[in-house]
Amino acid sequence: MSEKPTLKSAYLISGSDRPKVEHAVQRLRARFLDEAVEIVSALEVTGADVVTLCNSGSLFGDSRLVLVTDVDGRKKEDNRFPTGGWKAADIEACVAYLAAPAPHTVLAVVGLEIKKDAAIAKACVKVGDLLIFDAARRGRVAWVAERFRRAGVKAEPDACALLIQYIGEEDLHGLANEITKIATWAQGEPIGVAEVEQLVAPIADVAPFALTDAWAERRQGRLLDLCETMFERSDKSRRDTAPRLAATLNGHLNRMRQLKRLADDGVAARDAALALKMHPFAGEKAYRHAEGFSGEELASATVRFAELDLALKGGSRLAADVELQRALIAVSAEPGQT
């Protein structure tokens, strides 16, 4: 049998690919006896406290692991805004320790987005390893497809894209769990959009596609309810959130107008999506949305969003959220209702 590689004095484990980060942490922990592992959070202990733990040694002289989580903070429930984490003095204490680390002790530092040029990373790499696992946003569909492949299932790109919309592109851990669940159910059979729709309940915060879907379906009640939910869940004020939602909707309108022109020229949905450099799933959906509106309606919606933009920039005495809701009612109305 080959011997296990010798452990180093320090490891920095970080990155946006949370499942891989967690797997790396689990593999490292498996190298130690349970009683030889100390797990602490940087939200609760200082850097000096961690140094004391590292220097305390083991009663039996065995190798020890001191695992520090949340070094650069912990994300709030919406997975966007980190809070807490170590300050400069805490980092400095650990950097000083790593200049002469204790024998038989491994320090593992785990964070969200610790950069390779951070002080703690530079100190770790001198006596250990950096384990950085990042998943590029642009490659999220490919990431999901690869996870399905590893689970023994072939998933269509559109199914992968829909799963991302349902769970949220930031929640890689949630995506990994859903992939495991779907793959177990599939038993090797291919996965398409229908299977994702059947097996997965959308849990992400209200996504823009939900808003644009309701708009395309002219479901005004649903559209206003979603809009209100997005206002309530936003970390910004209603006045600041309204322009952001308006920009999202206007961007979708511009894509629908472009797709409408391509459709009028006889270009098929997937070819039109490729021409606009859109993901085929998103592009084909927007293409279908555009088919539900006449050219005159889309032109009228463009004018209405221009009026909304002016109102949100101070051209109206009405509240920003009210102006947005009025515009949504106008652009989603059935022909002849406006």
Side-chain angles (χ1 to χ4, degrees):
M1 293 179 63
S2 60
E3 295 184 1
K4 292 183 178 179
T6 303
L7 288 168
K8 298 183 179 181
S9 295
Y11 295 89
L12 185 144
I13 308 174
S14 185
S16 60
D17 195 333
R18 305 311 292 171
K20 286 187 178 180
V21 168
E22 292 179 6
H23 182 63
V25 170
Q26 291 169 359
R27 288 187 62 186
L28 184 59
R29 285 187 60 183
R31 301 288 300 277
F32 298 84
L33 299 173
D34 288 343
E35 57 269 25
V37 177
E38 293 272 4
I39 302 176
V40 295
S41 170
L43 303 178
E44 300 170 353
V45 300
T46 67
D49 293 333
V50 169
V51 171
T52 300
L53 278 174
C54 290
N55 286 325
S56 62
S58 169
L59 292 175
F60 306 102
D62 298 322
S63 295
R64 298 172 61 247
L65 171 65
V66 176
L67 179 65
V68 189
T69 64
D70 310 313
V71 169
D72 58 350
R74 176 181 294 165
K75 289 186 177 180
K76 295 180 181 178
E77 291 182 359
D78 62 9
N79 287 326
R80 288 180 291 174
F81 304 100
T83 181
W86 271 351
K87 307 303 181 188
D90 301 304
I91 299 294
E92 289 171 4
C94 281
V95 168
Y97 161 79
L98 290 171
H104 308 299
T105 296
V106 174
L107 172 62
V109 176
V110 184
L112 296 168
E113 298 176 352
I114 305 176
K115 305 302 181 184
K116 293 181 179 180
D117 59 353
I120 189 69
K122 291 179 179 179
C124 283
V125 78
K126 290 179 180 178
V127 294
D129 276 339
L130 303 183
L131 304 177
I132 309 294
F133 304 99
D134 282 322
R137 284 190 180 184
R138 291 194 171 191
R140 200 73 80 201
V141 170
W143 183 91
V144 170
E146 174 62 15
R147 299 283 304 194
F148 270 119
R149 188 191 65 77
R150 292 183 185 179
V153 174
K154 176 177 173 53
E156 297 175 2
D158 288 356
C160 297
L162 182 61
L163 181 61
I164 292 167
Q165 289 186 341
Y166 276 6
I167 305 302
E169 68 174 15
E170 294 289 344
D171 188 3
L172 296 189
H173 191 272
L175 286 169
N177 287 341
E178 290 298 326
I179 290 167
T180 299
K181 181 184 77 176
I182 295 170
T184 301
W185 175 88
Q187 294 293 302
E189 294 296 318
I191 295 296
V193 169
E195 286 73 27
V196 173
E197 291 176 335
Q198 175 185 350
L199 297 170
V200 182
I203 61 172
D205 286 342
V206 179
F209 82 87
L211 207 60
T212 55
D213 283 355
W215 173 15
E217 294 163 7
R218 302 181 191 265
R219 297 169 59 191
Q220 291 182 328
R222 169 69 171 163
L223 185 58
L224 294 177
D225 285 345
L226 287 171
C227 185
E228 182 61 26
T229 299
M230 295 177 88
F231 276 125
E232 291 176 353
R233 293 186 182 180
S234 175
D235 61 295
K236 306 290 185 181
S237 68
R238 286 175 174 252
R239 184 179 64 183
D240 292 334
T241 300
R244 187 166 61 186
L245 296 181
T248 296
L249 292 164
N250 195 45
H252 187 66
L253 172 61
N254 289 335
R255 286 188 290 274
M256 284 199 295
R257 294 192 70 185
Q258 290 175 300
L259 290 166
K260 186 76 171 177
R261 286 194 290 269
L262 290 171
D264 290 343
D265 291 338
V267 180
R270 182 148 297 215
D271 293 334
L274 292 174
L276 298 182
K277 298 182 179 179
M278 298 176 67
H279 186 277
F281 177 76
E284 289 181 37
K285 176 179 279 192
Y287 189 99
R288 292 194 298 272
H289 287 179
E291 289 178 326
F293 295 90
S294 67
E296 292 76 14
E297 285 181 298
L298 293 179
S300 177
T302 301
V303 173
R304 187 64 185 85
F305 276 124
E307 294 171 347
L308 174 62
D309 182 63
L310 176 62
L312 294 178
K313 291 178 178 176
S316 171
R317 294 183 179 181
L318 294 177
D321 55 342
V322 174
E323 284 289 1
L324 177 62
Q325 290 162 354
R326 291 179 66 203
L328 291 178
I329 292 172
V331 300
S332 60
E334 293 287 350
Q337 288 187 352
T338 56

